[in-house]
Amino acid sequence: MTAGSTPVLCGQVAERVWVISGPRQWPRAAPDPRDLAAAAGLPPWRAAERLAGRAALRELLARVRPQLADAEVVAAPGRPPRLTGAPGVAVSVSHDGDAVAAAVALDGPVGVDVQQVPDRDHDRLLRRCLGPWAAEAARWPREERRRELAWVWTAQEACVKAAGTGLRGRPWTIAVPPHATGGRWRDLRWVSLRDRSAVPLSCAFHDPTDGLSAVDSRREKRG
């Protein structure tokens, strides 16, 4: 998927966990008045991000839990968003550049992250995020190196969002192998939607089960 030019991506990533992603110019007729109020006073670019994220979240809710599509979304500073009147339902929103994503989980915390591939190298960030794989990654072609950094970061960021810590949780310390499609961190499972989205997009959610499923051990081959 190329944000801004292709249809919205929406799908189930695990039992009772769904993700939606698409362009920032979200195809929704009119924003919810409460979302407009929440965006009031923000810088124009930030307001556009906020409204796109809320629109994506409401569309996902309309598809998987229609009775919650009009619920009030509360977002306290430094805290993940939540739905008023739906304590068992967790939600997450992400945006970067022209891409926006949202996730909904019915049985525990959830985090979603979308990232555009950077247009320049970030060697220091590459070393921090890829850790033991950084030396190998440094030898890859530039485009692959940048793309893998974005994919790895989405998985790391999704995990700390689901944990409710954000950057305070030091996402770069989470071991995410390059080209991986999924794995576990603490009591969370993360999935990178490599087979569905051209824009790096990952989701993390609560999964108390022991062991790894096939998706965790599968590795996407480099072209």
Side-chain angles (χ1 to χ4, degrees):
M1 179 188 71
T2 302
S5 62
T6 61
V8 167
L9 176 155
C10 182
Q12 187 169 8
V13 299
E15 186 176 1
R16 297 163 70 83
V17 181
W18 297 266
V19 169
I20 196 168
S21 182
R24 192 168 75 170
Q25 296 299 323
W26 197 263
R28 185 178 173 90
D32 185 285
R34 291 164 298 183
D35 297 340
L36 284 172
L42 296 175
W45 65 270
R46 186 69 181 89
E49 285 186 338
R50 174 69 62 86
L51 291 173
R54 294 291 176 86
L57 175 59
R58 291 193 184 282
E59 179 165 336
L60 181 57
L61 287 168
R63 297 188 185 198
V64 302
R65 281 296 182 272
Q67 68 273 26
L68 297 177
D70 295 323
E72 182 180 9
V73 183
V74 179
R79 305 281 295 178
R82 59 182 177 84
L83 301 179
T84 300
V89 179
V91 299
S92 181
V93 175
S94 177
H95 28 65
D96 184 52
D98 292 331
V100 63
V104 171
L106 303 185
D107 297 314
V110 68
V112 69
D113 195 64
V114 64
Q115 292 287 328
Q116 298 286 2
V117 176
D119 57 6
R120 61 186 180 90
D121 290 332
H122 295 272
D123 295 336
R124 183 179 178 185
L125 189 59
L126 184 81
R127 290 192 297 271
R128 295 184 76 182
C129 293
L130 269 69
W133 301 280
E136 175 190 355
R139 297 191 293 270
W140 297 342
R142 177 175 297 170
E143 179 60 27
E144 180 181 8
R145 192 165 61 240
R146 294 173 178 176
R147 179 167 291 277
E148 280 309 303
L149 174 59
W151 275 109
V152 167
W153 179 255
T154 63
Q156 294 170 329
E157 179 76 359
C159 285
V160 295
K161 283 186 174 183
T165 59
L167 292 178
R168 292 181 289 105
R170 296 168 56 86
W172 52 86
T173 64
I174 300 172
V176 175
H179 305 104
T181 57
R184 292 176 68 96
W185 177 67
R186 298 181 179 176
D187 63 344
L188 299 172
R189 184 183 298 275
W190 59 265
V191 176
S192 291
L193 305 181
R194 292 174 177 267
D195 58 344
R196 307 189 203 183
S197 176
V199 178
L201 173 65
S202 296
C203 179
F205 46 91
H206 178 66
D207 183 2
T209 61
D210 293 329
L212 300 179
S213 68
V215 71
D216 298 314
S217 59
R218 194 171 71 241
R219 297 291 181 267
E220 183 155 307
K221 296 180 179 179
R222 286 189 277 142

